[in-house]
Amino acid sequence: KARHGQDTMATVGDILAGGVSPTAVDDSGLGGGVTDRLNEIRDEQAFPEEFMRIEPIIAGERALDFDRFQNRRAEMGWLIRDELQNNRLDLPPDHKLVGELTNIKYGHDSRGRIKLEAKDEVKKRIRRSPDRMDSLGLALAGYYKPVVELEEPAGTHSSYKF
């Protein structure tokens, strides 16, 4: 769920009330404080990590599958695409989310890795930030990790496993 202008401790409270683990948090900017407080609560309460696993994610950081994706944002966007194409994801009836998902352009960088259109460009075109897509990407990223299978010594292939 996207949260703008909400007090960070209220966000922590919402996450705890939801009881979802793992929880992926946008760790850049104010989200870093949310991550820190959730980890602090987990440690204070001596919760086992599997009960309360926090996944700090920064969209611009190195992708887990660095050979295939330019950054985590591209990796999360492609994960959404793969899940939709393989009928493993049902979207809520949210026209803004559908609009964001159908308006993001992708391409390849000079290394041939998948990249998404710059967020500023998306904002100009749809006249708002694609926060719903970002939230969905974070939600999926908390559950999925790339599995790298060697096809041959010279190359790799990645897929996502739940």
Side-chain angles (χ1 to χ4, degrees), residues 3 91 122 149:
R3 299 178 182 352
L91 295 179
V122 176
E149 301 167 359

Side-chain angles (χ1 to χ4, degrees), residues 121-137:
E121 293 301 314
V122 176
K123 287 179 186 180
K124 284 180 197 174
R125 199 173 56 260
I126 68 172
R127 297 191 174 115
R128 60 184 169 79
S129 182
D131 295 330
R132 286 172 163 83
M133 179 183 144
D134 292 345
S135 293
L136 179 58

